[in-house]
Amino acid sequence: MTVIFSAVLLFGIASIVVVKTRSAGFGAAVLLFLFGFFAAGTGASEPIRDLVASFAHFAADLAN
């Protein structure tokens, strides 16, 4: 069974957790950037979406 979640939803939830736990590392900065990017849908969306999709496919291939 395949479950699909919106990237905005996932990054939004993760951003709330990062803010609530007061994490301030590099990973938190990247997470908040990605959430803002996906929420705003700027002109640079295509390359970043491709990068995130590529990473998702890579992670899925590692699991197999």
Side-chain angles (χ1 to χ4, degrees):
M1 181 169 86
T2 302
V3 179
I4 300 173
F5 291 103
S6 168
V8 174
L9 175 67
L10 292 176
F11 286 124
I13 291 170
S15 296
I16 290 170
V17 170
V18 167
V19 170
K20 291 290 184 182
T21 60
R22 298 178 189 220
S23 299
F26 176 75
V30 170
L31 179 101
L32 292 172
F33 165 76
L34 288 173
F35 173 66
F37 171 77
F38 279 113
T42 64
S45 65
E46 194 64 34
I48 295 178
R49 284 183 203 270
D50 290 343
L51 177 68
V52 172
S54 175
F55 181 75
H57 290 297
F58 172 73
D61 288 341
L62 285 179
N64 292 331

